[in-house]
mmCIF file of all heavy atoms in Angstrom:
data_model
loop_
_atom_site.group_PDB
_atom_site.id
_atom_site.type_symbol
_atom_site.label_atom_id
_atom_site.label_comp_id
_atom_site.label_asym_id
_atom_site.label_seq_id
_atom_site.Cartn_x
_atom_site.Cartn_y
_atom_site.Cartn_z
ATOM 1 N N VAL A 928 -13.255 23.820 6.625
ATOM 2 C CA VAL A 928 -11.992 23.092 6.900
ATOM 3 C C VAL A 928 -11.996 21.730 6.162
ATOM 4 O O VAL A 928 -11.432 20.762 6.650
ATOM 5 C CB VAL A 928 -11.735 22.903 8.390
ATOM 6 C CG1 VAL A 928 -11.424 24.242 9.023
ATOM 7 C CG2 VAL A 928 -12.883 22.231 9.107
ATOM 8 N N TYR A 929 -12.669 21.677 5.062
ATOM 9 C CA TYR A 929 -12.658 20.497 4.210
ATOM 10 C C TYR A 929 -12.834 20.934 2.759
ATOM 11 O O TYR A 929 -13.399 21.999 2.475
ATOM 12 C CB TYR A 929 -13.775 19.512 4.598
ATOM 13 C CG TYR A 929 -15.179 20.092 4.524
ATOM 14 C CD1 TYR A 929 -15.905 20.068 3.312
ATOM 15 C CD2 TYR A 929 -15.772 20.671 5.621
ATOM 16 C CE1 TYR A 929 -17.188 20.603 3.245
ATOM 17 C CE2 TYR A 929 -17.048 21.209 5.547
ATOM 18 C CZ TYR A 929 -17.744 21.168 4.350
ATOM 19 O OH TYR A 929 -19.002 21.703 4.271
ATOM 20 N N LEU A 930 -12.287 20.139 1.878
ATOM 21 C CA LEU A 930 -12.560 20.280 0.442
ATOM 22 C C LEU A 930 -13.467 19.153 0.000
ATOM 23 O O LEU A 930 -13.490 18.073 0.604
ATOM 24 C CB LEU A 930 -11.234 20.234 -0.339
ATOM 25 C CG LEU A 930 -10.284 21.398 -0.092
ATOM 26 C CD1 LEU A 930 -8.909 21.081 -0.655
ATOM 27 C CD2 LEU A 930 -10.851 22.698 -0.669
ATOM 28 N N ARG A 931 -14.186 19.367 -1.093
ATOM 29 C CA ARG A 931 -15.152 18.380 -1.551
ATOM 30 C C ARG A 931 -14.646 17.630 -2.805
ATOM 31 O O ARG A 931 -13.984 18.232 -3.663
ATOM 32 C CB ARG A 931 -16.513 19.046 -1.861
ATOM 33 C CG ARG A 931 -17.167 19.685 -0.644
ATOM 34 C CD ARG A 931 -18.447 20.319 -0.993
ATOM 35 N NE ARG A 931 -18.292 21.389 -1.992
ATOM 36 C CZ ARG A 931 -19.277 22.137 -2.416
ATOM 37 N NH1 ARG A 931 -20.512 21.982 -1.974
ATOM 38 N NH2 ARG A 931 -19.048 23.066 -3.338
ATOM 39 N N TYR A 932 -14.984 16.387 -2.872
ATOM 40 C CA TYR A 932 -14.600 15.533 -3.994
ATOM 41 C C TYR A 932 -15.019 16.123 -5.313
ATOM 42 O O TYR A 932 -14.247 16.196 -6.267
ATOM 43 C CB TYR A 932 -15.179 14.154 -3.808
ATOM 44 C CG TYR A 932 -15.061 13.244 -5.024
ATOM 45 C CD1 TYR A 932 -13.831 12.676 -5.385
ATOM 46 C CD2 TYR A 932 -16.183 12.957 -5.794
ATOM 47 C CE1 TYR A 932 -13.740 11.856 -6.514
ATOM 48 C CE2 TYR A 932 -16.089 12.134 -6.923
ATOM 49 C CZ TYR A 932 -14.872 11.589 -7.265
ATOM 50 O OH TYR A 932 -14.760 10.792 -8.354
ATOM 51 N N ARG A 933 -16.258 16.536 -5.415
ATOM 52 C CA ARG A 933 -16.763 17.034 -6.694
ATOM 53 C C ARG A 933 -16.033 18.287 -7.166
ATOM 54 O O ARG A 933 -15.842 18.490 -8.398
ATOM 55 C CB ARG A 933 -18.256 17.288 -6.625
ATOM 56 C CG ARG A 933 -18.734 18.277 -5.592
ATOM 57 C CD ARG A 933 -20.270 18.357 -5.628
ATOM 58 N NE ARG A 933 -20.821 19.216 -4.592
ATOM 59 C CZ ARG A 933 -21.133 18.834 -3.378
ATOM 60 N NH1 ARG A 933 -20.932 17.567 -3.036
ATOM 61 N NH2 ARG A 933 -21.670 19.666 -2.506
ATOM 62 N N ASP A 934 -15.551 19.115 -6.245
ATOM 63 C CA ASP A 934 -14.832 20.315 -6.650
ATOM 64 C C ASP A 934 -13.442 19.945 -7.140
ATOM 65 O O ASP A 934 -12.965 20.499 -8.171
ATOM 66 C CB ASP A 934 -14.730 21.274 -5.479
ATOM 67 C CG ASP A 934 -16.075 21.847 -5.053
ATOM 68 O OD1 ASP A 934 -16.980 21.954 -5.939
ATOM 69 O OD2 ASP A 934 -16.272 22.153 -3.865
ATOM 70 N N LEU A 935 -12.767 19.035 -6.431
ATOM 71 C CA LEU A 935 -11.434 18.639 -6.885
ATOM 72 C C LEU A 935 -11.502 17.898 -8.202
ATOM 73 O O LEU A 935 -10.666 18.096 -9.093
ATOM 74 C CB LEU A 935 -10.808 17.717 -5.818
ATOM 75 C CG LEU A 935 -10.490 18.384 -4.465
ATOM 76 C CD1 LEU A 935 -10.026 17.306 -3.490
ATOM 77 C CD2 LEU A 935 -9.446 19.458 -4.619
ATOM 78 N N LYS A 936 -12.504 17.059 -8.367
ATOM 79 C CA LYS A 936 -12.650 16.277 -9.581
ATOM 80 C C LYS A 936 -12.882 17.195 -10.794
ATOM 81 O O LYS A 936 -12.367 16.958 -11.872
ATOM 82 C CB LYS A 936 -13.824 15.317 -9.426
ATOM 83 C CG LYS A 936 -14.112 14.480 -10.648
ATOM 84 C CD LYS A 936 -15.345 13.590 -10.437
ATOM 85 C CE LYS A 936 -15.690 12.838 -11.726
ATOM 86 N NZ LYS A 936 -16.928 12.033 -11.549
ATOM 87 N N ALA A 937 -13.694 18.221 -10.604
ATOM 88 C CA ALA A 937 -14.062 19.120 -11.700
ATOM 89 C C ALA A 937 -12.898 20.022 -12.142
ATOM 90 O O ALA A 937 -12.932 20.565 -13.256
ATOM 91 C CB ALA A 937 -15.269 19.975 -11.324
ATOM 92 N N GLY A 938 -11.913 20.182 -11.295
ATOM 93 C CA GLY A 938 -10.832 21.093 -11.600
ATOM 94 C C GLY A 938 -11.006 22.400 -10.837
ATOM 95 O O GLY A 938 -11.871 23.202 -11.200
ATOM 96 N N ALA A 939 -10.274 22.576 -9.770
ATOM 97 C CA ALA A 939 -10.430 23.782 -8.965
ATOM 98 C C ALA A 939 -9.088 24.472 -8.772
ATOM 99 O O ALA A 939 -8.028 23.872 -8.959
ATOM 100 C CB ALA A 939 -10.994 23.374 -7.569
ATOM 101 N N LYS A 940 -9.188 25.733 -8.423
ATOM 102 C CA LYS A 940 -8.000 26.513 -8.070
ATOM 103 C C LYS A 940 -8.086 26.791 -6.592
ATOM 104 O O LYS A 940 -8.963 27.536 -6.136
ATOM 105 C CB LYS A 940 -7.924 27.806 -8.866
ATOM 106 C CG LYS A 940 -6.719 28.662 -8.543
ATOM 107 C CD LYS A 940 -6.728 29.947 -9.366
ATOM 108 C CE LYS A 940 -5.545 30.827 -9.052
ATOM 109 N NZ LYS A 940 -5.568 32.104 -9.835
ATOM 110 N N VAL A 941 -7.180 26.201 -5.821
ATOM 111 C CA VAL A 941 -7.195 26.313 -4.363
ATOM 112 C C VAL A 941 -5.948 27.094 -3.963
ATOM 113 O O VAL A 941 -4.830 26.720 -4.324
ATOM 114 C CB VAL A 941 -7.209 24.940 -3.683
ATOM 115 C CG1 VAL A 941 -7.246 25.097 -2.163
ATOM 116 C CG2 VAL A 941 -8.415 24.099 -4.172
ATOM 117 N N GLU A 942 -6.165 28.167 -3.229
ATOM 118 C CA GLU A 942 -5.038 29.037 -2.802
ATOM 119 C C GLU A 942 -4.983 29.106 -1.272
ATOM 120 O O GLU A 942 -6.014 29.368 -0.633
ATOM 121 C CB GLU A 942 -5.229 30.425 -3.380
ATOM 122 C CG GLU A 942 -5.243 30.467 -4.895
ATOM 123 C CD GLU A 942 -5.648 31.835 -5.436
ATOM 124 O OE1 GLU A 942 -6.855 32.086 -5.527
ATOM 125 O OE2 GLU A 942 -4.752 32.651 -5.732
ATOM 126 N N PHE A 943 -3.810 28.893 -0.747
ATOM 127 C CA PHE A 943 -3.592 28.957 0.684
ATOM 128 C C PHE A 943 -2.748 30.183 1.004
ATOM 129 O O PHE A 943 -1.692 30.392 0.393
ATOM 130 C CB PHE A 943 -2.840 27.731 1.199
ATOM 131 C CG PHE A 943 -3.597 26.429 1.069
ATOM 132 C CD1 PHE A 943 -3.471 25.663 -0.082
ATOM 133 C CD2 PHE A 943 -4.380 25.965 2.106
ATOM 134 C CE1 PHE A 943 -4.114 24.454 -0.216
ATOM 135 C CE2 PHE A 943 -5.046 24.732 1.980
ATOM 136 C CZ PHE A 943 -4.928 23.997 0.835
#
Side-chain angles (χ1 to χ4, degrees):
V928 291
Y929 59 87
L930 294 168
R931 297 179 300 183
Y932 168 75
R933 59 183 177 271
D934 294 332
L935 295 173
K936 178 183 176 183
K940 180 181 179 181
V941 181
E942 299 172 275
F943 295 90

